[in-house]
Structures are given as C-alpha cells and as structure tokens.
Amino acid sequence: MSKIAFLDIDGTIRAFDGTVPESAIKAIHQARKNGHQVCISSGRPLDQIEKRIIDIGFDGIISGTGSYVVYEGKCIRHEYFPKALFLEMVDTFLKNQCVMDFQSYNRTCVLECQKDAFIKLGEDLQAMLGEGAAALAEPPDTEKCAENLDKVEKIIYFSDDFPLEEVRRRWGHGIYAVPVSFPNPRKWGGELSPITVNKGEGIKSILKLSGHKVEDVVAVGDSDNDIEMIAMAGLGIAMGNGTSGVKAVADAVTDTVENDGLYKAFQMAGMI
C-alpha cells in the first residue's frame, strides 16, 4: 500500500527566514511520482499558506491546525469557535492587554484598536528572523469590533503578563492551546483553537476518504502543534530543529530543515 505523508510548513518545509530548501521540493515531487500522497498539515489558515508552497503540489491541505481541511480540491472539514466562547475570550484578552490575531480560512485580521501594537510585534519578529520575514511588519487587515467576526477558527495571542497556563486554566475544557509555533517576541503567547481541532483530527478526516490506514501515515513536524499528528502516525518524524515535546513523541528524528531534514525524513520512510 502506498503511504500518505502530512507535512508541517514552518520549520519543516520552509525555514523561518522564508527559505524553502530545494531538497524539500525534490522529496515531495519524487514521493508523489513514486505513488505516495503528500499533504500539507499547517497551523496557518488557508489564506496564509503561500502560493509558492501550494504550487509545489499536494494532494490535500490541513490548515488552521486542523480546522479547515481540503482533500483532492474539496473542503471536507470546517470547525470554528462558538461565538459566545470567542467573545468571552476576546473580552478577557483585551482586559489583560493581550495582542490578538484572528484567523479563518479566508481572512486574517486584528482589531482596529490593536493595529499599532500588532505592527510593532511584527517588526520585533522581523528583527529576530531577518529581512526574509519583512512581510510580518506589513499593516494587517482590521475589524472594528469582535462582534462583527463569525466562524473564527483560531486565535493567536501575545502577552508579557497573561501566561498560557492561565488560558488553559480558564478555558481548557473548550479549547486546544499550544505555544506559538514560531519565534515569539513576547514573554508568552499561544495558538488557540476549538477543543475538537488538532492536526491529528484533520488527518483522520482525510483517511476516511483516501483509503489509507493509520499505519500508512508518515507525519513530519517541528512544533508542539504537531504532537497529535506525530503521535498518531504510523511513522512520526520530528525535525532536528523541533521542540523537545515533539521529539519526545516521535518515532524518529531527522536533520534540521536547513540540512535537508525533510528529504532525509522521506528516505527514512522509504518514500524516495
């Protein structure tokens, strides 16, 4: 039986400075030519996945950490926050001076009152990552108030005073919360989704249609939002630049993204 691979983007296909190793593109093309399927599995919302990444060629896309899933060109899963929970969280974050980013498959925005603070965050992050991340400091799309937003799939928050553990204490029964999956210029930050959302659940939705079994799954990632998919995969591979959490649940650890880690992961899996 052919395998089906699920790949994180940032830190796996793409380095955080924006570089996509040629070896990663070669691995994806060769694996598909060999009869295997390859899918994106990203924390990014669909509208923030770069065209140059999608144009590499994939059989499916798990976006928003599993909130919006496309397989063979069709949306097969869409999960988002209940409106009451979303508004409660936003109100609490505003009272605690947290900066927020709201994500859905077709739009990413911030509140008008936080535009300047969000741009400053982007500038700080760009300073950490270099000129390849210049787009992070561009003015974001804005919305006047949270009540105007519907079907929000993900909240990213940043704070120097409101730790992720407090977020989990307040809403852990209704949300999936992990640290931000990219360098964080603030003391704390988190990626927050509905409790039903993670990359492992996104994979399960594709397996129902693809004909593959869990043992056919190869998952490759580097951050804590990859833990569920790495743990459930027949072969879960952590990147060499991955977090200690994702390495702890992986079956194997490959090299870093810059040192052909994805290509070497596909070799481990026997896909190329």
Side-chain angles (χ1 to χ4, degrees):
M1 179 69 181
S2 65
K3 298 183 185 298
I4 182 166
F6 294 89
L7 313 177
D8 177 51
I9 295 177
D10 299 296
T12 301
I13 297 174
R14 172 190 183 275
F16 286 106
D17 66 0
T19 304
V20 178
E22 285 298 321
S23 63
I25 298 173
K26 180 179 178 181
I28 294 165
H29 288 171
Q30 191 171 334
R32 296 185 78 205
K33 185 177 180 180
N34 289 346
H36 305 291
Q37 291 196 330
V38 182
C39 302
I40 290 171
S41 186
S42 178
R44 289 175 174 244
L46 188 62
D47 81 329
Q48 283 193 7
I49 299 177
E50 299 167 275
K51 184 176 184 295
R52 66 176 178 137
I53 299 294
I54 293 175
D55 285 350
I56 294 171
F58 295 92
D59 299 284
I61 299 173
I62 296 171
S63 64
T65 321
S67 58
Y68 195 85
V69 179
V70 174
Y71 180 65
E72 295 185 340
K74 296 181 180 180
C75 175
I76 61 171
R77 174 179 165 91
H78 190 195
E79 302 281 336
Y80 43 84
F81 284 108
K83 189 66 173 281
L85 174 60
F86 169 69
L87 293 177
E88 176 188 335
M89 293 172 68
V90 171
D91 182 63
T92 301
F93 284 137
L94 286 173
K95 288 177 179 176
N96 286 278
Q97 290 80 51
C98 302
V99 179
M100 296 166 285
D101 182 29
F102 307 122
Q103 299 184 350
S104 298
Y105 75 97
N106 59 352
R107 187 188 185 195
T108 298
C109 69
V110 303
L111 296 178
E112 285 183 5
C113 64
Q114 295 199 322
K115 178 179 178 180
D116 291 343
F118 191 81
I119 291 174
K120 177 62 167 58
L121 273 172
E123 291 172 345
D124 292 344
L125 188 52
Q126 180 191 350
M128 295 172 67
L129 299 178
E131 287 305 310
L136 296 170
E138 294 178 357
D141 184 17
T142 61
E143 185 59 66
K144 186 173 183 180
C145 62
E147 286 81 0
N148 294 342
L149 296 171
D150 289 309
K151 299 183 178 180
V152 174
E153 300 163 10
K154 187 175 183 180
I155 301 170
I156 300 181
Y157 92 97
F158 304 88
S159 175
D160 286 326
D161 304 299
F162 200 70
L164 186 59
E165 284 309 308
E166 178 62 18
V167 173
R168 289 172 173 152
R169 186 189 70 79
R170 289 176 182 247
W171 301 295
H173 62 285
I175 67 168
Y176 169 76
V178 295
V180 290
S181 57
F182 49 86
N184 184 8
R186 300 289 286 272
K187 187 174 181 180
W188 286 295
E191 301 182 4
L192 317 176
S193 305
I195 193 67
T196 55
V197 171
N198 63 65
K199 293 184 179 182
E201 293 300 316
I203 289 174
K204 290 176 185 177
S205 68
I206 287 181
L207 295 185
K208 291 177 182 178
L209 298 176
S210 72
H212 294 87
K213 298 178 180 179
V214 170
E215 51 264 38
D216 303 319
V217 172
V218 176
V220 190
D222 71 301
S223 65
D224 284 2
N225 70 8
D226 297 314
I227 286 176
E228 285 79 9
M229 77 167 186
I230 295 286
M232 65 87 69
L235 177 60
I237 303 175
M239 296 295 290
N241 48 276
T243 65
S244 58
V246 77
K247 288 178 179 178
V249 301
D251 299 301
V253 179
T254 184
D255 214 327
T256 64
V257 61
E258 296 87 355
N259 290 327
D260 304 325
L262 184 58
Y263 189 91
K264 292 172 182 176
F266 274 31
Q267 288 180 317
M268 290 178 182
M271 297 175 67
I272 58 175

